[in-house]
Amino acid sequence: MDIGIVGLGLIGGCLGLDYRALGHRVYGVARREETCTAAIAAGVVDQASPDQAILAGMDLVVICTPIAAIVPTLTALVPHLAPHTVVTDVGSVKGEIVAAATALWPRFVGGHPMAGKAEVGLAAAELGLFRQRAYVITPLPETPPDGVDILDGLATSLGAIVLHCAPQAHDRAVAWISHLPVMVSTSLIQACLQESDPMVQQLAQQLASSGFCDTSRVGGGNPELGMMMARYNQGELLRSLRVYQNQLRAIADLIEQGHWDSLETLLQHSHDARSKFL
Amino acid sequence: MDIGIVGLGLIGGCLGLDYRALGHRVYGVARREETCTAAIAAGVVDQASPDQAILAGMDLVVICTPIAAIVPTLTALVPHLAPHTVVTDVGSVKGEIVAAATALWPRFVGGHPMAGKAEVGLAAAELGLFRQRAYVITPLPETPPDGVDILDGLATSLGAIVLHCAPQAHDRAVAWISHLPVMVSTSLIQACLQESDPMVQQLAQQLASSGFCDTSRVGGGNPELGMMMARYNQGELLRSLRVYQNQLRAIADLIEQGHWDSLETLLQHSHDARSKFL
């Protein structure tokens, strides 16, 4: 297949390496000429250019830009696409994007490969990042089934675990397990910084160990990505935040009222239920 | 030195191994005869018995029981102690315990070695668990300085990073970085379980990956320990929970009002500030 990748960062770079290893021809588009040169040198693409005209005739184009740039990128891309081209994206929010992108290009199929690394950018690209990771495909009722099949087949060939669902179900699910944790975790960092006794503040910083480290990790992650998740998944994130706030209030009430048996029962339930998510 | 250890679980077992490796004679007390036999066989103690009379003449006794048993254990121990014996504990909460224990035995010095493992019990004991980990010593103004020096010297000889502070400062600091994270994290697990659409619930469980895993880890930990932390550090934990709830509400307000620049600034601040705790 001839596959185009727009945006040669970590995810675009990893997809390029994997697609080429599977024998596809890969064409890259990046804004900067240096990125194009680096992508060819790294073996991520066969050819690359800042000019989207390079993508005329592709079988599939994968938009790997940040969330906010997906729809503008597609708008600019449409004049260059062949009628049979399937377009997909890798955005971590799907509802608004799939609706807007489908209106621009009916052969758009939303996708979300759920893989990443702490490092970002093309230099961090590696083979096999998507192996054994979830790859969610989010068609609308009107999405052409052959386009869905093409994306499904490619994602499967990467070794990913392919799941299909409606865009809204995706956004609701990732609000719980991905976007809510960022806000919960960043609130922990912010709260700890509000200790006003400098001696206790210093002591807290000295005593923090693996528990604090793990619980605060996603809250100390990429600020732009965290903001974009909230911006593009505002409704579902707010819904999950309300449930979370009620839950936290219930736990604070148990502690305030000294209902220790109930608190232990709840902690036991969390202990048992957590394994469902792992 | 002749050192007694009451409670031969993970922490008691690790201390015994380290003390013996340093050339001290170690005497253990456990409720069950089998534990005593196993501790001798594992090289954790030189001698062991369910009878506290074995601890007559010790230079130091370390109480390594669960938090709730520390003061009752000391009450039973006092008739067996020599006048010069220093008694310490390893409880993760200090205020109430240090006050009550000092009233029972003036040569009591509160301690909290901040080390642990996922596994519990004597069988998980290993050499060197306390190396490069914080060991907090929490004397009162009336605590005998020579007792503090003995505990400081021993903790230092384990390779631990020894810190001294008042019991209340300890409890306030660990509320922030240890006890609050448990409640924040367990609330996340409980909130995610409240998704009422079974398809979304299943999808959330399938899509959960490292972000959810890390943020939920301490909330899915030992239920009894989590409850005990709350019970014995109720005041400080509630104080930190109130600050956390306000912080979370401020973040939810930013999201609701679409103040994306402010949200990104806050996430950037969390990203930068987190390193102070690591």
Side-chain angles (χ1 to χ4, degrees), chain A residues 176 184 186 190 194-195 213-214 216-217 220 234 239 242 244 247 255-256 270-271 274, chain B residues 176 184 186 190 194-195 213-214 216-217 220 227 234 239 242 244 247 255-256 270-271 274:
Chain A
W176 288 118
V184 161
T186 212
Q190 293 293 328
Q194 287 176 42
E195 169 59 53
C213 179
D214 283 2
S216 67
R217 185 177 66 80
Q234 185 183 27
R239 177 176 171 270
R242 299 299 173 227
Y244 180 85
Q247 188 56 56
I255 295 170
E256 185 153 27
S270 295
H271 173 87
R274 179 170 177 259
Chain B
W176 288 117
V184 161
T186 211
Q190 292 294 327
Q194 287 176 41
E195 169 59 53
C213 178
D214 283 2
S216 67
R217 186 177 65 80
M227 181 275 281
Q234 185 184 27
R239 176 174 172 270
R242 298 300 173 227
Y244 181 85
Q247 188 56 54
I255 295 171
E256 186 153 26
S270 295
H271 173 87
R274 180 172 176 257

mmCIF file of all heavy atoms in Angstrom, chain A residues 176 184 186 190 194-195 213-214 216-217 220 234 239 242 244 247 255-256 270-271 274, chain B residues 176 184 186 190 194-195 213-214 216-217 220 227 234 239 242 244 247 255-256 270-271 274:
data_model
loop_
_atom_site.group_PDB
_atom_site.id
_atom_site.type_symbol
_atom_site.label_atom_id
_atom_site.label_comp_id
_atom_site.label_asym_id
_atom_site.label_seq_id
_atom_site.Cartn_x
_atom_site.Cartn_y
_atom_site.Cartn_z
ATOM 1 N N TRP A 176 -12.671 8.476 31.751
ATOM 2 C CA TRP A 176 -12.475 7.766 33.028
ATOM 3 C C TRP A 176 -11.020 7.362 33.262
ATOM 4 O O TRP A 176 -10.480 7.617 34.328
ATOM 5 C CB TRP A 176 -13.332 6.495 33.084
ATOM 6 C CG TRP A 176 -14.801 6.714 33.245
ATOM 7 C CD1 TRP A 176 -15.783 6.350 32.370
ATOM 8 C CD2 TRP A 176 -15.471 7.325 34.351
ATOM 9 N NE1 TRP A 176 -17.008 6.716 32.861
ATOM 10 C CE2 TRP A 176 -16.853 7.301 34.075
ATOM 11 C CE3 TRP A 176 -15.038 7.883 35.551
ATOM 12 C CZ2 TRP A 176 -17.797 7.829 34.953
ATOM 13 C CZ3 TRP A 176 -15.971 8.409 36.431
ATOM 14 C CH2 TRP A 176 -17.342 8.384 36.127
ATOM 15 N N VAL A 184 -6.930 14.465 38.457
ATOM 16 C CA VAL A 184 -6.805 13.960 39.826
ATOM 17 C C VAL A 184 -5.348 14.075 40.293
ATOM 18 O O VAL A 184 -5.065 14.488 41.421
ATOM 19 C CB VAL A 184 -7.260 12.478 39.831
ATOM 20 C CG1 VAL A 184 -6.758 11.735 41.054
ATOM 21 C CG2 VAL A 184 -8.792 12.415 39.717
ATOM 22 N N THR A 186 -2.783 15.933 38.899
ATOM 23 C CA THR A 186 -2.218 17.281 38.941
ATOM 24 C C THR A 186 -2.765 18.036 40.154
ATOM 25 O O THR A 186 -2.053 18.855 40.758
ATOM 26 C CB THR A 186 -2.481 18.030 37.601
ATOM 27 O OG1 THR A 186 -1.392 18.920 37.349
ATOM 28 C CG2 THR A 186 -3.785 18.799 37.590
ATOM 29 N N GLN A 190 -0.629 20.092 43.062
ATOM 30 C CA GLN A 190 -0.993 21.459 43.449
ATOM 31 C C GLN A 190 -1.365 21.545 44.929
ATOM 32 O O GLN A 190 -1.005 22.508 45.614
ATOM 33 C CB GLN A 190 -2.156 21.955 42.589
ATOM 34 C CG GLN A 190 -1.802 22.149 41.126
ATOM 35 C CD GLN A 190 -0.801 23.273 40.880
ATOM 36 O OE1 GLN A 190 -0.785 24.267 41.599
ATOM 37 N NE2 GLN A 190 0.058 23.098 39.897
ATOM 38 N N GLN A 194 0.559 23.562 48.558
ATOM 39 C CA GLN A 194 -0.118 24.578 49.357
ATOM 40 C C GLN A 194 0.155 24.479 50.848
ATOM 41 O O GLN A 194 -0.375 25.276 51.628
ATOM 42 C CB GLN A 194 -1.615 24.563 49.046
ATOM 43 C CG GLN A 194 -1.861 25.164 47.658
ATOM 44 C CD GLN A 194 -3.307 25.093 47.259
ATOM 45 O OE1 GLN A 194 -4.191 25.346 48.055
ATOM 46 N NE2 GLN A 194 -3.551 24.752 46.007
ATOM 47 N N GLU A 195 0.964 23.509 51.279
ATOM 48 C CA GLU A 195 1.370 23.477 52.691
ATOM 49 C C GLU A 195 2.161 24.754 52.976
ATOM 50 O O GLU A 195 3.171 25.016 52.326
ATOM 51 C CB GLU A 195 2.231 22.249 52.954
ATOM 52 C CG GLU A 195 2.915 22.244 54.309
ATOM 53 C CD GLU A 195 1.926 22.318 55.477
ATOM 54 O OE1 GLU A 195 0.996 21.504 55.526
ATOM 55 O OE2 GLU A 195 2.081 23.231 56.324
ATOM 56 N N CYS A 213 5.159 9.434 43.867
ATOM 57 C CA CYS A 213 5.721 9.445 42.514
ATOM 58 C C CYS A 213 4.719 8.869 41.505
ATOM 59 O O CYS A 213 4.441 9.485 40.472
ATOM 60 C CB CYS A 213 7.019 8.646 42.516
ATOM 61 S SG CYS A 213 7.798 8.553 40.912
ATOM 62 N N ASP A 214 4.158 7.709 41.811
ATOM 63 C CA ASP A 214 3.219 7.077 40.884
ATOM 64 C C ASP A 214 1.923 7.873 40.765
ATOM 65 O O ASP A 214 1.400 8.063 39.668
ATOM 66 C CB ASP A 214 2.880 5.656 41.348
ATOM 67 C CG ASP A 214 3.999 4.680 41.033
ATOM 68 O OD1 ASP A 214 5.040 5.113 40.498
ATOM 69 O OD2 ASP A 214 3.833 3.491 41.334
ATOM 70 N N SER A 216 1.365 10.968 41.196
ATOM 71 C CA SER A 216 1.523 12.296 40.584
ATOM 72 C C SER A 216 2.066 12.241 39.158
ATOM 73 O O SER A 216 2.200 13.283 38.521
ATOM 74 C CB SER A 216 2.474 13.152 41.438
ATOM 75 O OG SER A 216 3.792 12.631 41.393
ATOM 76 N N ARG A 217 2.372 11.053 38.646
ATOM 77 C CA ARG A 217 3.085 10.979 37.368
ATOM 78 C C ARG A 217 2.317 11.620 36.214
ATOM 79 O O ARG A 217 2.821 12.519 35.539
ATOM 80 C CB ARG A 217 3.445 9.536 36.991
ATOM 81 C CG ARG A 217 4.309 9.467 35.714
ATOM 82 C CD ARG A 217 4.738 8.062 35.369
ATOM 83 N NE ARG A 217 3.645 7.191 34.990
ATOM 84 C CZ ARG A 217 3.071 7.168 33.787
ATOM 85 N NH1 ARG A 217 3.493 7.965 32.828
ATOM 86 N NH2 ARG A 217 2.075 6.354 33.526
ATOM 87 N N GLY A 220 1.945 15.385 36.201
ATOM 88 C CA GLY A 220 3.147 16.145 35.890
ATOM 89 C C GLY A 220 3.620 15.909 34.460
ATOM 90 O O GLY A 220 4.746 16.214 34.117
ATOM 91 N N GLN A 234 -14.253 17.991 26.839
ATOM 92 C CA GLN A 234 -14.766 18.788 27.959
ATOM 93 C C GLN A 234 -15.988 18.164 28.630
ATOM 94 O O GLN A 234 -16.033 18.006 29.847
ATOM 95 C CB GLN A 234 -15.107 20.185 27.434
ATOM 96 C CG GLN A 234 -15.541 21.180 28.506
ATOM 97 C CD GLN A 234 -15.934 22.530 27.897
ATOM 98 O OE1 GLN A 234 -16.357 22.599 26.739
ATOM 99 N NE2 GLN A 234 -15.800 23.590 28.657
ATOM 100 N N ARG A 239 -18.187 15.358 33.294
ATOM 101 C CA ARG A 239 -19.086 14.331 33.840
ATOM 102 C C ARG A 239 -18.320 13.396 34.789
ATOM 103 O O ARG A 239 -18.770 13.090 35.889
ATOM 104 C CB ARG A 239 -19.679 13.546 32.663
ATOM 105 C CG ARG A 239 -20.577 12.387 33.029
ATOM 106 C CD ARG A 239 -21.173 11.777 31.746
ATOM 107 N NE ARG A 239 -21.880 10.542 32.016
ATOM 108 C CZ ARG A 239 -21.316 9.340 31.996
ATOM 109 N NH1 ARG A 239 -20.038 9.203 31.712
ATOM 110 N NH2 ARG A 239 -22.039 8.262 32.257
ATOM 111 N N ARG A 242 -17.339 15.160 38.105
ATOM 112 C CA ARG A 242 -18.442 15.295 39.082
ATOM 113 C C ARG A 242 -18.593 14.001 39.890
ATOM 114 O O ARG A 242 -18.771 14.025 41.104
ATOM 115 C CB ARG A 242 -19.773 15.599 38.380
ATOM 116 C CG ARG A 242 -19.819 16.894 37.583
ATOM 117 C CD ARG A 242 -19.575 18.121 38.428
ATOM 118 N NE ARG A 242 -19.465 19.300 37.580
ATOM 119 C CZ ARG A 242 -18.501 20.226 37.694
ATOM 120 N NH1 ARG A 242 -17.568 20.117 38.620
ATOM 121 N NH2 ARG A 242 -18.474 21.263 36.891
ATOM 122 N N TYR A 244 -16.303 11.795 40.368
ATOM 123 C CA TYR A 244 -15.109 11.670 41.215
ATOM 124 C C TYR A 244 -15.234 12.547 42.458
ATOM 125 O O TYR A 244 -14.934 12.104 43.581
ATOM 126 C CB TYR A 244 -13.857 12.049 40.416
ATOM 127 C CG TYR A 244 -12.604 11.937 41.241
ATOM 128 C CD1 TYR A 244 -11.947 10.712 41.379
ATOM 129 C CD2 TYR A 244 -12.087 13.032 41.925
ATOM 130 C CE1 TYR A 244 -10.808 10.596 42.164
ATOM 131 C CE2 TYR A 244 -10.960 12.926 42.708
ATOM 132 C CZ TYR A 244 -10.323 11.706 42.825
ATOM 133 O OH TYR A 244 -9.206 11.585 43.616
ATOM 134 N N GLN A 247 -17.461 10.993 44.952
ATOM 135 C CA GLN A 247 -16.821 9.839 45.555
ATOM 136 C C GLN A 247 -15.819 10.270 46.625
ATOM 137 O O GLN A 247 -15.769 9.716 47.721
ATOM 138 C CB GLN A 247 -16.108 9.041 44.452
ATOM 139 C CG GLN A 247 -15.569 7.730 44.925
ATOM 140 C CD GLN A 247 -16.646 6.882 45.543
ATOM 141 O OE1 GLN A 247 -17.665 6.598 44.921
ATOM 142 N NE2 GLN A 247 -16.444 6.477 46.790
ATOM 143 N N ILE A 255 -14.098 9.357 56.774
ATOM 144 C CA ILE A 255 -12.938 9.643 57.630
ATOM 145 C C ILE A 255 -13.332 10.625 58.728
ATOM 146 O O ILE A 255 -12.996 10.439 59.900
ATOM 147 C CB ILE A 255 -11.768 10.196 56.780
ATOM 148 C CG1 ILE A 255 -11.290 9.113 55.800
ATOM 149 C CG2 ILE A 255 -10.622 10.673 57.675
ATOM 150 C CD1 ILE A 255 -10.301 9.605 54.757
ATOM 151 N N GLU A 256 -14.093 11.646 58.371
ATOM 152 C CA GLU A 256 -14.499 12.646 59.360
ATOM 153 C C GLU A 256 -15.363 12.019 60.459
ATOM 154 O O GLU A 256 -15.223 12.339 61.634
ATOM 155 C CB GLU A 256 -15.268 13.775 58.653
ATOM 156 C CG GLU A 256 -15.607 14.908 59.590
ATOM 157 C CD GLU A 256 -15.748 16.230 58.846
ATOM 158 O OE1 GLU A 256 -16.088 16.201 57.642
ATOM 159 O OE2 GLU A 256 -15.525 17.288 59.467
ATOM 160 N N SER A 270 -11.800 -1.480 46.408
ATOM 161 C CA SER A 270 -10.897 -0.885 45.416
ATOM 162 C C SER A 270 -9.769 -1.854 45.069
ATOM 163 O O SER A 270 -9.408 -2.010 43.899
ATOM 164 C CB SER A 270 -10.272 0.406 45.962
ATOM 165 O OG SER A 270 -11.243 1.388 46.158
ATOM 166 N N HIS A 271 -9.222 -2.450 46.100
ATOM 167 C CA HIS A 271 -8.130 -3.425 45.907
ATOM 168 C C HIS A 271 -8.571 -4.547 44.968
ATOM 169 O O HIS A 271 -7.863 -4.918 44.031
ATOM 170 C CB HIS A 271 -7.732 -3.995 47.283
ATOM 171 C CG HIS A 271 -6.744 -5.110 47.227
ATOM 172 N ND1 HIS A 271 -5.388 -4.906 47.203
ATOM 173 C CD2 HIS A 271 -6.915 -6.453 47.157
ATOM 174 C CE1 HIS A 271 -4.767 -6.065 47.132
ATOM 175 N NE2 HIS A 271 -5.666 -7.020 47.109
ATOM 176 N N ARG A 274 -9.622 -3.146 41.198
ATOM 177 C CA ARG A 274 -8.576 -2.548 40.358
ATOM 178 C C ARG A 274 -8.079 -3.533 39.302
ATOM 179 O O ARG A 274 -7.747 -3.144 38.184
ATOM 180 C CB ARG A 274 -7.417 -2.080 41.232
ATOM 181 C CG ARG A 274 -6.270 -1.462 40.436
ATOM 182 C CD ARG A 274 -5.253 -0.804 41.345
ATOM 183 N NE ARG A 274 -4.128 -0.293 40.584
ATOM 184 C CZ ARG A 274 -2.957 -0.906 40.477
ATOM 185 N NH1 ARG A 274 -2.743 -2.046 41.117
ATOM 186 N NH2 ARG A 274 -1.985 -0.386 39.736
ATOM 187 N N TRP B 176 0.287 14.602 53.377
ATOM 188 C CA TRP B 176 0.364 15.103 52.000
ATOM 189 C C TRP B 176 0.866 14.049 51.020
ATOM 190 O O TRP B 176 0.245 13.838 49.969
ATOM 191 C CB TRP B 176 1.309 16.303 51.903
ATOM 192 C CG TRP B 176 0.805 17.573 52.491
ATOM 193 C CD1 TRP B 176 1.358 18.261 53.544
ATOM 194 C CD2 TRP B 176 -0.344 18.320 52.089
ATOM 195 N NE1 TRP B 176 0.613 19.384 53.816
ATOM 196 C CE2 TRP B 176 -0.429 19.457 52.931
ATOM 197 C CE3 TRP B 176 -1.312 18.162 51.102
ATOM 198 C CZ2 TRP B 176 -1.437 20.410 52.810
ATOM 199 C CZ3 TRP B 176 -2.315 19.106 50.987
ATOM 200 C CH2 TRP B 176 -2.376 20.210 51.824
ATOM 201 N N VAL B 184 -7.029 9.802 47.280
ATOM 202 C CA VAL B 184 -7.185 10.326 45.922
ATOM 203 C C VAL B 184 -7.249 9.178 44.914
ATOM 204 O O VAL B 184 -8.068 9.169 43.984
ATOM 205 C CB VAL B 184 -5.969 11.248 45.616
ATOM 206 C CG1 VAL B 184 -5.786 11.468 44.132
ATOM 207 C CG2 VAL B 184 -6.113 12.567 46.377
ATOM 208 N N THR B 186 -7.816 5.823 45.542
ATOM 209 C CA THR B 186 -8.920 4.874 45.718
ATOM 210 C C THR B 186 -10.223 5.507 45.206
ATOM 211 O O THR B 186 -11.090 4.793 44.659
ATOM 212 C CB THR B 186 -9.019 4.399 47.186
ATOM 213 O OG1 THR B 186 -9.517 3.054 47.202
ATOM 214 C CG2 THR B 186 -9.897 5.285 48.044
ATOM 215 N N GLN B 190 -12.976 3.921 42.536
ATOM 216 C CA GLN B 190 -14.406 3.893 42.844
ATOM 217 C C GLN B 190 -15.219 4.692 41.811
ATOM 218 O O GLN B 190 -16.304 4.274 41.408
ATOM 219 C CB GLN B 190 -14.658 4.461 44.243
ATOM 220 C CG GLN B 190 -14.107 3.586 45.364
ATOM 221 C CD GLN B 190 -14.815 2.247 45.476
ATOM 222 O OE1 GLN B 190 -16.006 2.125 45.208
ATOM 223 N NE2 GLN B 190 -14.082 1.209 45.852
ATOM 224 N N GLN B 194 -18.297 3.544 38.612
ATOM 225 C CA GLN B 194 -19.668 4.052 38.607
ATOM 226 C C GLN B 194 -20.211 4.350 37.218
ATOM 227 O O GLN B 194 -21.350 4.798 37.098
ATOM 228 C CB GLN B 194 -19.768 5.274 39.531
ATOM 229 C CG GLN B 194 -19.710 4.834 40.993
ATOM 230 C CD GLN B 194 -19.718 5.979 41.959
ATOM 231 O OE1 GLN B 194 -20.442 6.949 41.789
ATOM 232 N NE2 GLN B 194 -18.904 5.881 42.997
ATOM 233 N N GLU B 195 -19.426 4.130 36.182
ATOM 234 C CA GLU B 195 -19.963 4.262 34.823
ATOM 235 C C GLU B 195 -21.073 3.230 34.656
ATOM 236 O O GLU B 195 -20.856 2.036 34.824
ATOM 237 C CB GLU B 195 -18.859 4.012 33.793
ATOM 238 C CG GLU B 195 -19.365 3.859 32.366
ATOM 239 C CD GLU B 195 -20.127 5.096 31.880
ATOM 240 O OE1 GLU B 195 -19.582 6.201 31.966
ATOM 241 O OE2 GLU B 195 -21.280 4.943 31.427
ATOM 242 N N CYS B 213 -3.027 2.764 35.662
ATOM 243 C CA CYS B 213 -2.328 1.804 36.522
ATOM 244 C C CYS B 213 -1.541 2.524 37.612
ATOM 245 O O CYS B 213 -1.660 2.214 38.791
ATOM 246 C CB CYS B 213 -1.419 0.934 35.662
ATOM 247 S SG CYS B 213 -0.470 -0.256 36.605
ATOM 248 N N ASP B 214 -0.750 3.529 37.219
ATOM 249 C CA ASP B 214 0.069 4.251 38.197
ATOM 250 C C ASP B 214 -0.792 5.078 39.145
ATOM 251 O O ASP B 214 -0.546 5.099 40.351
ATOM 252 C CB ASP B 214 1.046 5.192 37.483
ATOM 253 C CG ASP B 214 2.220 4.433 36.890
ATOM 254 O OD1 ASP B 214 2.254 3.205 36.995
ATOM 255 O OD2 ASP B 214 3.103 5.096 36.308
ATOM 256 N N SER B 216 -3.791 4.647 40.092
ATOM 257 C CA SER B 216 -4.651 3.847 40.981
ATOM 258 C C SER B 216 -3.874 2.908 41.900
ATOM 259 O O SER B 216 -4.477 2.220 42.716
ATOM 260 C CB SER B 216 -5.631 3.018 40.139
ATOM 261 O OG SER B 216 -4.927 2.035 39.394
ATOM 262 N N ARG B 217 -2.545 2.878 41.772
ATOM 263 C CA ARG B 217 -1.789 1.842 42.487
ATOM 264 C C ARG B 217 -1.963 1.915 44.007
ATOM 265 O O ARG B 217 -2.366 0.935 44.631
ATOM 266 C CB ARG B 217 -0.295 1.893 42.140
ATOM 267 C CG ARG B 217 0.478 0.717 42.768
ATOM 268 C CD ARG B 217 1.949 0.705 42.391
ATOM 269 N NE ARG B 217 2.699 1.821 42.898
ATOM 270 C CZ ARG B 217 3.165 1.935 44.154
ATOM 271 N NH1 ARG B 217 2.949 0.959 45.022
ATOM 272 N NH2 ARG B 217 3.839 2.997 44.540
ATOM 273 N N GLY B 220 -5.327 0.948 45.462
ATOM 274 C CA GLY B 220 -5.649 -0.478 45.435
ATOM 275 C C GLY B 220 -4.716 -1.289 46.318
ATOM 276 O O GLY B 220 -4.634 -2.504 46.187
ATOM 277 N N MET B 227 -6.677 2.106 55.968
ATOM 278 C CA MET B 227 -7.642 2.502 56.996
ATOM 279 C C MET B 227 -6.909 2.996 58.245
ATOM 280 O O MET B 227 -7.284 4.008 58.849
ATOM 281 C CB MET B 227 -8.551 1.311 57.323
ATOM 282 C CG MET B 227 -9.610 1.590 58.357
ATOM 283 S SD MET B 227 -9.028 1.404 60.061
ATOM 284 C CE MET B 227 -9.074 -0.388 60.230
ATOM 285 N N GLN B 234 -6.104 11.083 61.363
ATOM 286 C CA GLN B 234 -7.385 11.644 60.930
ATOM 287 C C GLN B 234 -7.351 13.157 60.722
ATOM 288 O O GLN B 234 -7.762 13.650 59.669
ATOM 289 C CB GLN B 234 -8.445 11.285 61.986
ATOM 290 C CG GLN B 234 -9.857 11.690 61.628
ATOM 291 C CD GLN B 234 -10.840 11.388 62.770
ATOM 292 O OE1 GLN B 234 -10.452 11.348 63.944
ATOM 293 N NE2 GLN B 234 -12.094 11.171 62.421
ATOM 294 N N ARG B 239 -7.363 17.616 56.896
ATOM 295 C CA ARG B 239 -6.859 18.938 56.503
ATOM 296 C C ARG B 239 -6.341 18.894 55.062
ATOM 297 O O ARG B 239 -6.666 19.765 54.243
ATOM 298 C CB ARG B 239 -5.744 19.319 57.476
ATOM 299 C CG ARG B 239 -5.030 20.622 57.183
ATOM 300 C CD ARG B 239 -4.043 20.924 58.322
ATOM 301 N NE ARG B 239 -3.196 22.065 57.992
ATOM 302 C CZ ARG B 239 -2.028 21.970 57.360
ATOM 303 N NH1 ARG B 239 -1.564 20.801 56.984
ATOM 304 N NH2 ARG B 239 -1.332 23.065 57.112
ATOM 305 N N ARG B 242 -9.224 18.573 52.484
ATOM 306 C CA ARG B 242 -9.965 19.820 52.221
ATOM 307 C C ARG B 242 -9.225 20.662 51.184
ATOM 308 O O ARG B 242 -9.824 21.230 50.276
ATOM 309 C CB ARG B 242 -10.129 20.646 53.509
ATOM 310 C CG ARG B 242 -10.921 19.978 54.624
ATOM 311 C CD ARG B 242 -12.346 19.629 54.246
ATOM 312 N NE ARG B 242 -12.978 18.846 55.299
ATOM 313 C CZ ARG B 242 -13.672 17.728 55.086
ATOM 314 N NH1 ARG B 242 -13.832 17.248 53.863
ATOM 315 N NH2 ARG B 242 -14.225 17.084 56.089
ATOM 316 N N TYR B 244 -7.113 19.576 48.994
ATOM 317 C CA TYR B 244 -7.193 18.862 47.720
ATOM 318 C C TYR B 244 -8.545 19.088 47.044
ATOM 319 O O TYR B 244 -8.614 19.335 45.832
ATOM 320 C CB TYR B 244 -6.957 17.362 47.949
ATOM 321 C CG TYR B 244 -7.012 16.577 46.665
ATOM 322 C CD1 TYR B 244 -5.893 16.464 45.854
ATOM 323 C CD2 TYR B 244 -8.201 15.980 46.235
ATOM 324 C CE1 TYR B 244 -5.945 15.781 44.655
ATOM 325 C CE2 TYR B 244 -8.270 15.301 45.040
ATOM 326 C CZ TYR B 244 -7.136 15.198 44.249
ATOM 327 O OH TYR B 244 -7.197 14.537 43.054
ATOM 328 N N GLN B 247 -8.675 22.409 45.476
ATOM 329 C CA GLN B 247 -7.825 22.457 44.295
ATOM 330 C C GLN B 247 -8.520 21.800 43.103
ATOM 331 O O GLN B 247 -8.517 22.311 41.987
ATOM 332 C CB GLN B 247 -6.510 21.736 44.611
ATOM 333 C CG GLN B 247 -5.489 21.871 43.545
ATOM 334 C CD GLN B 247 -5.201 23.312 43.220
ATOM 335 O OE1 GLN B 247 -4.872 24.094 44.112
ATOM 336 N NE2 GLN B 247 -5.345 23.689 41.959
ATOM 337 N N ILE B 255 -12.012 24.051 33.638
ATOM 338 C CA ILE B 255 -12.454 23.216 32.507
ATOM 339 C C ILE B 255 -13.873 23.610 32.103
ATOM 340 O O ILE B 255 -14.183 23.761 30.921
ATOM 341 C CB ILE B 255 -12.356 21.720 32.874
ATOM 342 C CG1 ILE B 255 -10.883 21.339 33.106
ATOM 343 C CG2 ILE B 255 -12.986 20.840 31.790
ATOM 344 C CD1 ILE B 255 -10.679 19.954 33.686
ATOM 345 N N GLU B 256 -14.734 23.793 33.107
ATOM 346 C CA GLU B 256 -16.120 24.141 32.805
ATOM 347 C C GLU B 256 -16.207 25.480 32.074
ATOM 348 O O GLU B 256 -17.004 25.648 31.142
ATOM 349 C CB GLU B 256 -16.930 24.200 34.105
ATOM 350 C CG GLU B 256 -18.405 24.413 33.864
ATOM 351 C CD GLU B 256 -19.255 23.844 34.994
ATOM 352 O OE1 GLU B 256 -18.746 23.748 36.127
ATOM 353 O OE2 GLU B 256 -20.427 23.498 34.736
ATOM 354 N N SER B 270 2.543 22.218 37.509
ATOM 355 C CA SER B 270 2.623 20.884 38.123
ATOM 356 C C SER B 270 3.817 20.112 37.576
ATOM 357 O O SER B 270 4.551 19.450 38.320
ATOM 358 C CB SER B 270 1.351 20.072 37.826
ATOM 359 O OG SER B 270 0.225 20.654 38.428
ATOM 360 N N HIS B 271 3.985 20.188 36.267
ATOM 361 C CA HIS B 271 5.101 19.500 35.607
ATOM 362 C C HIS B 271 6.431 19.957 36.201
ATOM 363 O O HIS B 271 7.283 19.138 36.548
ATOM 364 C CB HIS B 271 5.055 19.808 34.105
ATOM 365 C CG HIS B 271 6.223 19.303 33.332
ATOM 366 N ND1 HIS B 271 6.269 18.032 32.814
ATOM 367 C CD2 HIS B 271 7.406 19.884 33.011
ATOM 368 C CE1 HIS B 271 7.429 17.857 32.189
ATOM 369 N NE2 HIS B 271 8.133 18.970 32.293
ATOM 370 N N ARG B 274 6.723 19.124 40.254
ATOM 371 C CA ARG B 274 6.763 17.723 40.695
ATOM 372 C C ARG B 274 8.185 17.259 41.009
ATOM 373 O O ARG B 274 8.397 16.452 41.915
ATOM 374 C CB ARG B 274 6.150 16.830 39.607
ATOM 375 C CG ARG B 274 6.141 15.352 39.971
ATOM 376 C CD ARG B 274 5.362 14.531 38.962
ATOM 377 N NE ARG B 274 5.424 13.121 39.260
ATOM 378 C CZ ARG B 274 6.200 12.249 38.604
ATOM 379 N NH1 ARG B 274 6.943 12.644 37.593
ATOM 380 N NH2 ARG B 274 6.209 10.984 38.966
#
